[in-house]
Amino acid sequence: MFLGLDASTQSISAAIIDPDTSTVIASDSVNFGAELPQYNAPSGFIPDGPDGEVHTDPSMWMDALEILLHRLKSKGVDLSKITAISGAGQQHASVYLSEKFHSAVANLSADKSLSEQLVPTLTRATSPIWMDSSTEAECAEVTASVPDTLSISGSVATMRFTGPQIRKFFKNSPDDYKQTTVIHLNSSFFSSILAGKSSSIDTGDGAGMNLMDLASSTWHKDLLDATAPDLESKLPPIEQAGTFVSNISSYFVEKYGFSSDCKAHSWTGDNPASLVGMGAAASGKMIISLGTSDTLFSAMPEPKTDPNGYGHVFGNPIEGGSYMSLLCFSNGSLARERLKKDCNLQWSDFEAEALEQTPLGNDGKLVAPFYTPETTPKVDSHNIHTNDWDFDSASNNTKVRALLEGQFLNVRLNSQWMGLTPDNVLLTGGASKNSGIAQTISNVFNVPTKRLTSDASSVSIGSAIVAAVANGHSYKDLAEKFCTTSAETASPQQGAEIYDTRLSEYETLIKSIV
Ligand code: XUL
């Protein structure tokens, strides 16, 4: 059996797969806000940070991992049967550790908690995460030093990426930066904890740092120098996702009953793992993931960069040497949740039946729902923008349609550079279960949408697959077993061609606010 973990923004989840019987043996999830309210992070991050700062407490992540493993064990899942583990973390989030980390992680005592033993090794109490938009100055500095950041790293200098976040830490807290001997991503921090030793960073998550040379999968000297001094010595090496790190730490053997032969493999980012879990790591399928952020991604044989600078190229966790494209939309589920709260709606108001009350194309009423600073396109916004109609006085049905159409017109508009012409769009993430959202995507893209048959998250399934592939299983075989998609979830409704017109109108709206 193979365990895949998914350390995302709002929760940590697990899926255990058994390739011999083609079954998902168990899956579970711990929601940070609901189960660890003492961290005051209801949506997984510390709210109201100054100047676009969005951080979270890595201690909360460690506590959540323990609750998750404890729960699996008390449900009767025999963790001693797990051959190998891999996982995936929310991308870009970074953890700053002192020299003490190495011995602390190698000598964890099962009598104490992970957080009790590892928090004293942090040199930065909180971790900046992908929602952070406080590094505009640092991005400008990196770009000034390395004008071809896009062609080297696959992305322009990007505020949520780890390099600019590291630079900000170095500038604001030079002494703490000096005390830092290791900087991990969320993903490599977790794989280090499981392995009991510092783990590598993979090419999928490493490419989200503005520090990696895409062509050679190594740290790029000019980018390192433009970011902070002595940075190379503080970064783990880069390796393919699923690289064997070590047998699992005795902490997990003693506390949760893992076998001492269980192998801990390196992790990747949540989006790269989802590409694997959707069965799309080797093809040009288009995936839209509807999570805290919405993302669109696809495997890419050659790195092709976004001329607008919003899209990214990451390493592909399965097909060694190949790539994936990614677009990230910050106003995903959080924007849908915000409208639901502001208008006192139910999720059923977002279902296909409720959308029948309004016409496709919303009579031309468009909205760019950027309640928080948007990454694609890059807009420092704290509110919605309309094409000259009064959002507040509109009916709730009109608002819901405007929000959903606006979100997915934005996705369609900004994905054109990828040149994909898919027969369908594969959906994943919590909100993909909502029929109105699936229907809107199908209409806006004018192709059917499909979902995975399995209920477990594509990120944890993808992570378990990475661990299984690293132990001799074929990806093709595993994808056939665990990544089957449903019959059509939704197909375009009559009149969906209207979105060709709406797309150019939406582009005009976006140009007026960018
Ligand atoms: C991708 C991104 C987010 C996070 C959180 O670049 O920032 O999708 O990975 O899920």
Side-chain angles (χ1 to χ4, degrees):
M1 300 193 321
F2 297 92
L3 167 62
L5 291 162
D6 165 12
S8 72
T9 314
Q10 306 206 42
S11 56
I12 180 160
S13 312
I16 300 174
I17 61 167
D18 180 353
D20 292 340
T21 57
S22 307
T23 42
V24 179
I25 302 285
S27 62
D28 217 319
S29 188
V30 172
N31 181 282
F32 303 136
E35 302 198 38
L36 292 158
Q38 65 273 31
Y39 285 102
N40 296 317
S43 300
F45 55 87
I46 303 161
D48 306 321
D51 304 320
E53 208 172 85
V54 184
H55 283 215
T56 196
D57 189 338
S59 176
M60 177 182 78
W61 297 338
M62 294 185 260
D63 289 353
L65 173 66
E66 305 231 46
I67 297 175
L68 179 66
L69 294 177
H70 180 74
R71 189 174 298 160
L72 286 170
K73 186 181 163 193
S74 33
K75 275 202 323 199
V77 178
D78 184 356
L79 297 174
S80 75
K81 295 224 171 83
I82 290 169
T83 309
I85 310 176
S86 186
Q90 56 169 305
Q91 298 200 253
H92 322 295
S94 43
V95 185
Y96 299 75
L97 300 147
S98 72
E99 184 58 45
K100 290 189 285 186
F101 174 67
H102 297 287
S103 65
V105 82
N107 297 295
L108 291 169
S109 154
D111 300 335
K112 295 184 188 153
S113 69
L114 291 172
S115 54
E116 234 177 310
Q117 298 174 83
L118 296 177
V119 166
T121 73
L122 293 171
T123 53
R124 192 179 193 178
T126 55
S127 291
I129 69 159
W130 64 274
M131 295 172 77
D132 191 290
S133 60
S134 69
T135 60
E136 178 116 56
E138 290 72 19
C139 288
E141 287 155 7
V142 169
T143 310
S145 303
V146 188
D148 44 357
T149 301
L150 172 62
S151 59
I152 297 169
S153 73
S155 304
V156 297
T158 303
M159 290 196 278
R160 68 186 190 284
F161 276 34
T162 324
Q165 297 292 340
I166 294 173
R167 178 160 180 79
K168 182 176 159 197
F169 181 53
F170 153 69
K171 281 168 54 185
N172 293 353
S173 312
D175 293 338
D176 295 337
Y177 176 77
K178 223 171 174 183
Q179 291 305 312
T180 304
T181 48
V182 201
I183 301 174
H184 273 298
L185 293 179
N186 168 297
S187 56
S188 60
F189 180 57
F190 272 116
S191 52
S192 303
I193 292 175
L194 289 164
K197 70 184 259 211
S198 200
S199 157
S200 52
I201 285 178
D202 88 299
T203 59
D205 226 7
M209 299 175 79
N210 281 143
L211 295 172
M212 191 183 100
D213 177 6
L214 258 188
S216 62
S217 299
T218 54
W219 300 124
H220 192 277
K221 185 166 180 335
D222 296 349
L223 287 172
L224 293 171
D225 291 347
T227 300
D230 300 323
L231 184 51
E232 187 156 19
S233 68
K234 301 178 200 286
L235 293 175
I238 302 170
E239 290 178 324
Q240 182 72 18
T243 299
F244 172 72
V245 185
S246 165
N247 279 9
I248 194 166
S249 155
S250 57
Y251 180 86
F252 298 95
V253 176
E254 285 174 40
K255 203 160 179 175
Y256 300 106
F258 283 89
S259 154
S260 55
D261 291 333
C262 174
K263 295 178 187 161
H265 292 264
S266 65
W267 287 32
T268 185
D270 55 0
N271 294 294
S274 185
L275 181 81
V276 176
M278 293 302 287
S283 68
K285 292 179 191 169
M286 183 195 269
I287 322 286
I288 295 182
S289 168
L290 302 154
T292 307
S293 62
D294 288 344
T295 55
L296 180 146
F297 47 85
S298 178
M300 257 203 298
E302 295 299 330
K304 177 176 169 189
T305 51
D306 177 2
N308 290 319
Y310 303 136
H312 311 290
V313 185
F314 294 157
N316 183 321
I318 288 288
E319 298 295 306
S322 78
Y323 303 91
M324 66 179 283
S325 57
L326 180 122
L327 279 164
C328 175
F329 303 87
S330 317
N331 286 277
S333 284
L334 290 181
R336 293 183 283 273
E337 281 160 22
R338 168 75 183 266
L339 182 73
K340 176 173 172 276
K341 185 163 161 260
D342 285 358
C343 299
N344 210 4
L345 303 172
Q346 307 298 318
W347 284 124
S348 55
D349 294 314
F350 291 71
E351 292 287 346
E353 300 74 47
L355 290 177
E356 275 166 22
Q357 313 301 319
T358 47
L360 267 63
N362 215 23
D363 292 324
K365 294 193 176 82
L366 295 173
V367 71
F370 302 156
Y371 290 104
T372 57
E374 181 50 63
T375 45
T376 311
K378 187 165 167 272
V379 189
D380 184 14
S381 161
H382 297 275
N383 216 330
I384 55 153
H385 306 262
T386 68
N387 55 345
D388 286 332
W389 57 284
D390 184 9
F391 188 82
D392 292 332
S393 63
S395 73
N396 285 344
N397 288 335
T398 298
K399 287 178 185 169
V400 169
R401 180 174 280 286
L403 179 107
L404 295 181
E405 289 186 349
Q407 286 188 315
F408 300 110
L409 282 167
N410 193 37
V411 175
R412 180 170 158 191
L413 179 68
N414 286 292
S415 58
Q416 285 171 331
W417 64 275
M418 294 180 191
L420 294 169
T421 46
D423 298 336
N424 53 54
V425 177
L426 300 182
L427 303 182
T428 182
S432 66
K433 299 202 171 86
N434 183 295
S435 68
I437 295 175
Q439 184 63 64
T440 306
I441 296 175
S442 189
N443 288 343
V444 169
F445 281 84
N446 211 354
V447 290
T449 48
K450 292 180 164 201
R451 282 193 292 252
L452 277 192
T453 324
S454 154
D455 264 355
S457 93
S458 54
V459 178
S460 38
I461 293 283
S463 302
I465 290 178
V466 168
V469 168
N471 285 277
H473 288 265
S474 104
Y475 177 55
K476 192 167 166 288
D477 185 41
L478 293 166
E480 275 163 21
K481 288 177 171 165
F482 295 103
C483 316
T484 47
T485 44
S486 60
E488 283 170 17
T489 302
S491 38
Q493 288 173 293
Q494 206 176 4
E497 319 74 53
I498 189 127
Y499 294 104
D500 293 339
T501 314
R502 292 289 174 269
L503 192 68
S504 55
E505 293 164 3
Y506 190 83
E507 190 170 13
T508 308
L509 168 63
I510 291 295
K511 281 189 178 141
S512 71
I513 57 175
V514 168

